[in-house]
Every structure is written in C-alpha cells, then in structure tokens.
Amino acid sequence: MLDDLLTNPRADRVKAVRALAGRSVRRRSGTFLVEGPQAVREAVAPGGPRVHDVFVTPDAEVRYPEIVDAALVAGARVRTGTPEVLDAMSPDAQGVVAVVDLVQAVLAPVLAARPRLVAVLAHVRDPGNAGTVLRAADAAGADAVVLTASSVDVHNPKCVRATAGSLFHLPVVTGPELGEAVTALRTAGLQVLAAAGTGSHDLDDLLDVAGAAPAGVPDLTAPTAWVFGNEAWGLRDEDLALADAAVRVPLRGGAESLNLATAAAVCLYASGRAQR
C-alpha cells in the first residue's frame, strides 16, 4: 500500500533524494538516483539491484501501474508526491524516481563467466557519452562494460539517464586502471582492440575476413574487448600500445570523424555480427 501524499518540496526526505546528484553523497549512502519511467521500470524488474524507494506523482501512479506493482513485489517503499515534490527531487523525474543500491560488478567474476564481447571506456569523461556507449553495448549483445578509474562515475544522473535502463542489463565494472583491465581481459582469452582513427586495420576489411583472418590480422569472430578513448583526444600512445591492434572505422563521406558513442556502436555491432 502506498503511503500518504508528500506535498512539501522542502522536506528533508526530498532534499536527501535530490542530494544523490552528488558523487560524495552517493558514495556515503551506497545508493544512487534513477529518473524517469523507463529507467525505473528496468530497475525494479526481477533480478535487478536492490531498490529502496520509488516516488511517483498521482498521475504516474495511474499511468504506470506496472512500475508500482513491480516495486512493491521487489520490497521497495513506494510513496506518492505532488509534481512539485518530484520536480524538487529531480528536474528529469517525469513523474517517477527511485533510490537504488549502487551497481558494482567485479572484474574477476565477470571474466570467469567467459565473456565474448566487452566494451572498455578509458578516460571517458562525459556522462552522456558513457551512458550512450553502455546502451549501445547492451543493444549489440556485449557481455560487460568496464569503465577505467579515470572515467566518469557511471552513477552520475546524466549517465544513468543516457543508458535508458541498460545499466541494469549487463555487468558494469568500474575503477580498474586501463593496464590492469587489459591484462585481465587478455588473460581471460579476449583479444584487445583499440578503436582509433589512426588504426592500421580497417573495420570493414576485418569484417570481410572474419572467421578466416590471416596471421597478424584480428579475427572479429574471436572473443574481443574493444577499448574506446576520451571524447577529445581519443587514446594516448601508451594506451594504444596496450592493445593487440588498433582499428579504424572507415569514413566514406566528408565527415572528419565520428563521435565516441557512434564509433563505439559501429565497432560493437561489427563484433556482434561476426560472432553470431
């Protein structure tokens, strides 16, 4: 049963939820904020993370009964609040927000499951880009995503929104140094390919020889970890040196380059196609 209506946008409970926009508060509480019906729907689905609280406006309660029902089944507290209360919690609430345990996968168990496709984000600082790459990885059938220590916090509200719920679909490992992650991935049997505009291998050419690649040429049918670099400068020379090969996405028209999320989607889908 839902509790009484929350009406005070300046209440301590409301301020506590809004404070989860800050990284230090998320770390101290071990929770983060999930905004909007699509993301909250994925969070409360069976097998998802622990959901502590779900807040809905009266209109959203009627519009999304499946979210309320799933939240209650998951053991979450469900509260109704006025639109002003939900807006005070988050300007991107769209009538629904949830407080959820941090999503924290560990690299060793992820690799023990023998993944075939992994996306690694190295020095990716923009939360929207990181979230979009995570969403693309999920859509392409990747088994995991790794964000290195120098990358954005995956629980940043903008990053969570950009994943559109994919944050809850696959393991997301955060915090390892790039060299540490690459060593672990290679030890687990994955080839490591760096996406770079200056790469010596053309992605289309690799697709043409997938399954029959000559010696010295990456085979896209093999288990693969793709490394994607910073939005502005890509991958540094020392980062490229960690990979088994650097691969470029061909540019057929007049565009000078692709943005990070688009390039990542193209590479991940190429591997997904080859592996299937």
Side-chain angles (χ1 to χ4, degrees):
M1 180 178 295
L2 276 63
D3 293 328
D4 292 338
L5 183 70
L6 299 172
T7 60
N8 183 4
R10 293 178 293 278
D12 289 343
R13 182 191 299 270
V14 176
K15 292 178 181 177
V17 173
R18 186 177 184 87
L20 292 173
R23 186 170 188 169
S24 62
V25 175
R26 294 195 295 270
R27 285 180 170 177
R28 287 198 302 270
S29 67
T31 60
F32 71 110
L33 185 63
V34 180
E35 306 157 299
Q38 173 59 27
V40 174
R41 183 181 292 110
E42 300 299 330
V44 300
R50 181 185 175 193
V51 181
H52 295 268
D53 298 280
V54 173
F55 300 91
V56 294
T57 62
D59 179 67
E61 180 186 349
V62 173
R63 183 175 300 180
Y64 308 113
E66 76 284 1
I67 294 177
V68 173
D69 292 344
L72 293 172
V73 168
R77 294 182 294 267
V78 181
R79 303 290 306 271
T80 54
T82 63
E84 293 76 17
V85 164
L86 270 289
D87 287 344
M89 289 178 174
S90 163
D92 296 287
Q94 302 174 60
V96 187
V97 298
V99 177
V100 181
D101 272 353
L102 297 178
V103 176
Q104 296 175 311
V106 179
L107 187 58
V110 168
L111 297 181
R114 303 182 65 82
R116 291 188 55 80
L117 184 57
V118 177
V120 181
L121 279 64
H123 318 293
V124 174
R125 307 289 174 78
D126 181 85
N129 277 333
T132 303
V133 173
L134 199 157
R135 183 179 182 182
D138 178 26
D143 300 297
V145 174
V146 178
L147 285 88
T148 65
S150 57
S151 292
V152 68
D153 178 11
V154 74
H155 301 103
N156 176 290
K158 184 176 180 181
C159 185
V160 176
R161 290 195 300 274
T163 72
S166 288
L167 177 61
F168 308 112
H169 294 169
L170 72 172
V172 180
V173 178
T174 62
E177 298 295 337
L178 180 58
E180 171 193 349
V182 166
T183 297
L185 288 159
R186 190 176 287 117
T187 300
L190 288 87
Q191 65 179 345
V192 180
L193 302 182
T198 58
S200 56
H201 298 278
D202 182 287
L203 184 62
D204 276 1
D205 292 342
L206 296 186
L207 277 170
D208 288 341
V209 299
V217 175
D219 187 345
L220 292 183
T221 65
T224 300
W226 281 98
V227 182
F228 306 106
N230 179 269
E231 298 86 350
W233 66 78
L235 290 165
R236 303 171 301 188
D237 289 344
E238 56 265 38
D239 299 332
L240 289 170
L242 296 171
D244 298 312
V247 180
R248 66 183 183 275
V249 176
L251 301 175
R252 305 303 186 199
E256 182 269 334
S257 65
L258 293 174
N259 66 27
L260 167 65
T262 302
V266 171
C267 294
L268 292 166
Y269 266 93
S271 280
R273 173 189 171 189
Q275 291 180 2
R276 286 165 176 76

